[in-house]
Amino acid sequence: MLIVMHHSATDRDIEAVKKTIEKMGYKPVAIPGAERTAIGVIGNQGWVDDAPFRGLKGILEIIHVTKPYKLVSRDFHPHDTVIKISNDLKIGGKNPFLIIAGPCAVESSEQIYKTAKFLKDLGVKVLRAGAYKPRTSPHSFQGLREKGLEILQDVKRDLGIYTITEVMSPEHLGLVAEKVDIIQVGARNMQNFDLLKEVGKIKKPVVLKRGLSATVEEWLASAEYILLEGNPNVILCERGIRTFETATRNTSDLSVIPLIKGNSHLPVIYDPSHATGKSKLVPPMALASIIAGAQGVMVEVHPEPEKALSDGPQSLNFKEFERLYLKIQKLISFVEDELKP
Ligand code: PEP
Ligand code: MN
């Protein structure tokens, strides 16, 4: 439930509403706006009776929110969320477009250092690479796990590049959070609710990928699990969904980017590699996502894609990535100059 206060409501009126919410056993969340304050009711499992508010002063409107999420909604938080990855790196709002790149998986120290050095020299600030890999077949490469995390920790220390890696189980969360700057919850775990709750208890930025066949509502409800536990630093990542189409690995749903930016205050980025599954399709789709309003991209890059232990066919080699990187820079400055209102 959302209680919208009149613009002339006093601090006392607002306090009285908050107290009433608390007396009912719920938590009030004040949402200050330019014109008026709204107060969200958190913690209810179903319909909230509005009778206790009827005699209170300063209330303009009571809105019963029927969506399965509140904290991630723009109704509850009208301004864009800005997420601090470090003192010099933020995403969301008017912050610069964030480019995350790197191999699907950590395969060796040599592969990671080579890639990280190339990316850093180009200007990329965040290296991606999976240590724990969610693979369809148990016979496929499962990742270097703890050893992979150590390599990521070393490269971050030695080259000063920020890192992101996937966490697959609550059991590994503490270690992963200690070793990297951003935690990734992958598509297959988007509805692993126990994992989401644990990720919500730490304050690290989290990239939450859209589930293999998740609706936007399910995806936002998953983000709500993280926010509700106290971690507001969620970045949503569109990575394509499964449809009848088999010509591409997934069906790339760019329309959700502007849609979500209307519904939610959380930053949205796009992963053209998993969204298409084909390296040739990655550059045009990455560029298209900028026009759609994405606040960043995450691209798979490998020194030798043909030898990659996972996702080689969708990985760009260094030359291909450099070409894309330069086009992204050009497009961003065009969008900033010409298209921004
Ligand atoms: C990945 O980023 O390597 C990955 C496994 O992605 P997704 O969870 O989107 O399939
Ligand atoms: Mn991958």
Side-chain angles (χ1 to χ4, degrees):
M1 187 159 77
L2 196 58
I3 299 172
V4 184
M5 302 301 290
H6 212 275
H7 65 87
S8 62
T10 63
D11 287 351
R12 253 174 124 185
D13 297 339
I14 293 171
E15 267 319 298
V17 170
K18 285 185 174 172
K19 285 247 158 64
T20 307
I21 294 170
E22 277 165 1
K23 258 197 225 148
M24 293 165 83
Y26 308 131
K27 190 176 154 205
V29 179
I31 308 148
E35 300 260 308
R36 49 178 65 95
T37 294
I39 302 165
V41 179
I42 300 293
N44 58 302
Q45 305 277 329
W47 186 262
V48 178
D49 182 15
D50 53 28
F53 301 99
R54 279 192 209 131
L56 299 181
K57 278 197 281 177
I59 294 178
L60 178 70
E61 198 184 1
I62 296 180
I63 304 168
H64 287 276
V65 183
T66 48
K67 291 176 194 154
Y69 54 85
K70 293 175 189 171
L71 297 176
V72 305
S73 156
R74 270 218 195 265
D75 300 335
F76 267 55
H77 187 296
H79 303 294
D80 282 358
T81 277
V82 170
I83 297 174
K84 186 172 148 188
I85 295 161
S86 73
N87 285 336
D88 61 351
L89 190 62
K90 295 191 180 80
I91 180 172
K94 298 221 174 325
N95 283 291
F97 189 78
L98 182 70
I99 301 175
I100 303 173
C104 180
V106 181
E107 296 171 4
S108 69
S109 178
E110 191 198 352
Q111 169 236 24
I112 288 298
Y113 272 79
K114 198 169 172 187
T115 311
K117 191 162 178 348
F118 160 73
L119 293 172
K120 171 102 200 212
D121 288 348
L122 202 56
V124 172
K125 299 210 171 64
V126 185
L127 171 78
R128 63 143 291 147
Y132 300 93
K133 291 307 301 175
R135 305 305 303 279
T136 302
S137 165
H139 301 295
S140 303
F141 174 59
Q142 301 288 304
L144 297 184
R145 302 172 70 85
E146 286 78 2
K147 174 80 191 129
L149 290 179
E150 271 165 35
I151 295 173
L152 288 174
Q153 184 181 37
D154 292 346
V155 82
K156 170 182 155 69
R157 182 197 57 224
D158 295 343
L159 300 185
I161 193 162
Y162 299 112
T163 50
I164 171 169
T165 203
E166 176 164 354
V167 63
M168 283 169 44
S169 140
E171 175 196 345
H172 302 133
L173 181 59
L175 192 62
V176 170
E178 187 192 307
K179 305 279 187 196
V180 298
D181 302 286
I182 310 172
I183 289 165
Q184 175 173 322
V185 174
R188 289 153 194 84
N189 272 312
M190 189 206 82
Q191 286 189 316
N192 181 342
F193 300 117
D194 282 344
L195 178 63
L196 298 176
K197 285 180 189 168
E198 290 306 311
V199 163
K201 289 180 190 151
I202 56 175
K203 291 284 181 281
K204 283 248 156 159
V206 183
V207 163
L208 177 64
K209 294 189 113 185
R210 183 181 185 179
L212 301 179
S213 54
T215 63
V216 167
E217 192 169 272
E218 287 163 345
W219 186 15
L220 291 175
S222 287
E224 182 88 0
Y225 268 91
I226 302 174
L227 268 75
L228 199 54
E229 292 293 333
N231 185 353
N233 303 312
V234 177
I235 301 161
L236 299 165
C237 179
E238 165 62 26
R239 45 78 75 211
I241 45 169
R242 185 161 291 183
T243 67
F244 57 84
E245 183 58 77
T246 54
T248 45
R249 180 176 178 181
N250 287 295
T251 295
S252 201
D253 189 4
L254 282 179
S255 65
V256 299
I257 296 171
L259 180 85
I260 286 186
K261 285 178 79 177
N263 289 352
S264 175
H265 50 89
L266 298 175
V268 189
I269 65 170
Y270 177 64
D271 171 349
S273 310
H274 295 86
T276 64
K278 293 190 155 115
S279 63
K280 288 272 174 297
L281 305 182
V282 168
M285 292 309 289
L287 296 171
S289 75
I290 296 172
I291 302 295
Q295 283 146 305
V297 281
M298 177 152 69
V299 180
E300 286 187 339
V301 179
H302 194 285
E304 293 172 285
E306 52 298 338
K307 293 194 184 149
L309 297 182
S310 63
D311 288 351
Q314 67 192 34
S315 300
L316 301 186
N317 63 31
F318 289 180
K319 248 206 185 111
E320 290 165 336
F321 181 75
E322 183 167 352
R323 243 179 270 140
L324 171 61
Y325 183 85
L326 298 175
K327 282 186 186 164
I328 289 176
Q329 301 305 332
K330 267 197 197 160
L331 185 57
I332 294 288
S333 54
F334 172 77
V335 168
E336 278 168 5
D337 294 348
E338 306 285 332
L339 299 182
K340 283 268 162 72

